[in-house]
Amino acid sequence: MYPSSPFVIGSMLLSMVLMLVSIVVVLLSPLVSAFVAPQTLLSIRYEIINDISNTSHHTRVKHYSSLKPIQYTEDDYICSERRRRYIIASASVVSTVLLPQLSNQAYADDEVSYPIVATNTKQIAEYIIKECNSKFLRSVVKSNYNFLYRGLSLEQSKAVANGNQPRAILLKNEPFDLLDPSTYESNEAAAYFQRLEDDMISKGINMQPSNSHMGTTCPKEASKWGKVASVWPIGEQGVEFAWIAEGGYFWPNSNSKQTIVTTSSTKKSQNERGALDIALQGDTWDIMFRADNGFVVVPAEINVELKRHLQKLISI
């Protein structure tokens, strides 16, 4: 039996309070995890357990930034072990309930590193109608809902996949890589796009390879670069498109006299190759696009459903 000194009784009461607090924390853990960063709670839990495990039976000083340090001396020796057991038990209860939730939440946060703009097909269609560049959307409609595609990186592929519920994500500040030899694994390709860059600048065209990305009208071609997704440029400003009037790839190119068509600088030609909706109907055509405000990507596996929702909403 431990002596019934005022100090011991006070310590016991403190331990009981800590137990009650632990129970409250367990009950409120869902709310706590919703408002506090999981990494922060995990760090706090680790520090508590580590701090308690290293508790000495002798002198122990705990410093706080805003309070005067409290010293525990040899007078605490008799009750320290009981107090320590109570606190460890309380912390164990909290960690047992909180850790699985926090670990799962932290894992989910690591998986999704891109803004999610919609989480079901109808919402995606509504977002596209509201936020997508209107001229591009009209071209998609005129083309009988032919989409522009792009292959996603591994991280982006994870971000748009959520079990049976695909998601649309917004890509901003996507690196421009057409002038990088590693993109097509060819110095000749990089030199080609540099010449195209110089030519566009000399003609006063606002979009160039250095500020644009490459898309394709063919999902199979896009799959060579990653998970296939349709592309939807955002905003009315800073959005332009370019393609080869004769169709096909920018690179590799078999025609040394390519005619580059852009939506901002070239009028509709007699053979109608100047219309973006015609280009979208092309068989495996490269379409370079500039999207200063970023662009939304939507998993291609929901194409049929997305087209259905777009047709229904646009006809209203």
Side-chain angles (χ1 to χ4, degrees):
M1 294 293 293
Y2 294 97
S4 299
S5 67
F7 185 84
V8 173
I9 294 173
S11 299
M12 293 292 291
L13 290 174
L14 175 61
S15 298
M16 293 176 66
V17 170
L18 288 173
M19 285 289 288
L20 290 173
V21 170
S22 299
I23 294 171
V24 172
V25 170
V26 170
L27 294 175
L28 295 180
S29 60
L31 292 176
V32 173
S33 61
F35 290 98
V36 182
Q39 294 82 354
T40 301
L41 288 175
L42 288 171
S43 176
I44 293 173
R45 183 261 178 190
Y46 174 80
E47 290 181 5
I48 290 174
I49 296 298
N50 186 61
D51 198 29
I52 293 170
S53 298
N54 293 324
T55 302
S56 171
H57 289 279
H58 303 285
T59 303
R60 186 165 185 271
V61 180
K62 180 67 177 178
H63 293 281
Y64 296 89
S65 59
S66 61
L67 297 177
K68 182 179 179 181
I70 303 174
Q71 287 195 335
Y72 295 97
T73 65
E74 293 292 341
D75 293 336
D76 304 331
Y77 178 78
I78 295 177
C79 63
S80 62
E81 182 61 28
R82 174 174 288 186
R83 185 173 63 251
R84 182 170 178 268
R85 286 201 300 268
Y86 269 110
I87 298 175
I88 290 176
S90 302
S92 297
V93 171
V94 175
S95 63
T96 299
V97 176
L98 285 180
L99 270 181
Q101 297 180 22
L102 300 181
S103 298
N104 292 337
Q105 183 64 40
Y107 178 77
D109 289 344
D110 288 341
E111 272 192 340
V112 181
S113 56
Y114 301 95
I116 300 171
V117 300
T119 55
N120 64 61
T121 310
K122 183 179 179 181
Q123 289 180 357
I124 293 171
E126 291 172 342
Y127 184 90
I128 287 172
I129 292 173
K130 180 180 178 182
E131 303 293 342
C132 179
N133 179 267
S134 59
K135 292 181 180 179
F136 175 73
L137 184 56
R138 283 198 295 270
S139 295
V140 169
V141 174
K142 288 181 64 178
S143 74
N144 194 27
Y145 292 90
N146 282 274
F147 295 165
L148 180 62
Y149 298 98
R150 179 177 172 85
L152 302 181
S153 68
L154 181 60
E155 293 77 13
Q156 293 163 358
S157 299
K158 291 180 180 179
V160 299
N162 184 28
N164 295 324
Q165 189 68 60
R167 300 178 290 197
I169 62 172
L170 175 63
L171 301 183
K172 300 192 71 173
N173 304 316
E174 187 75 355
F176 303 111
D177 58 5
L178 293 176
L179 299 180
D180 186 347
S182 66
T183 301
Y184 287 87
E185 297 182 349
S186 167
N187 289 327
E188 293 182 6
Y192 162 78
F193 282 108
Q194 185 59 62
R195 290 194 298 271
L196 184 60
E197 173 98 1
D198 298 337
D199 183 57
M200 286 180 156
I201 292 175
S202 67
K203 292 179 179 178
I205 299 175
N206 293 325
M207 71 172 296
Q208 301 101 33
S210 62
N211 63 17
S212 302
H213 304 283
M214 191 64 73
T216 176
T217 60
C218 178
K220 185 176 180 180
E221 180 66 23
S223 68
K224 297 177 182 179
W225 300 86
K227 182 180 177 65
V228 183
S230 58
V231 174
W232 304 90
I234 298 301
E236 298 303 315
Q237 303 298 322
V239 177
E240 295 183 67
F241 301 87
W243 60 96
I244 309 298
E246 298 77 20
Y249 303 105
F250 277 89
W251 180 268
N253 65 81
S254 57
N255 187 350
S256 59
K257 296 182 179 180
Q258 291 177 326
T259 303
I260 307 298
V261 180
T262 67
T263 50
S264 62
S265 63
T266 306
K267 294 182 180 180
K268 188 175 182 180
S269 61
Q270 292 182 352
N271 62 4
E272 296 188 335
R273 293 306 186 190
L276 179 58
D277 59 287
I278 298 298
L280 287 170
Q281 297 177 62
D283 181 20
T284 316
W285 283 29
D286 278 350
I287 298 181
M288 189 186 303
F289 65 96
R290 177 181 177 180
D292 292 355
N293 301 306
F295 54 97
V296 167
V297 290
V298 182
E301 56 261 33
I302 64 169
N303 273 358
V304 174
E305 189 177 358
L306 179 59
K307 289 178 183 179
R308 179 170 59 84
H309 280 291
L310 287 172
Q311 290 172 330
K312 181 177 180 180
L313 291 170
I314 291 174
S315 64
I316 293 176

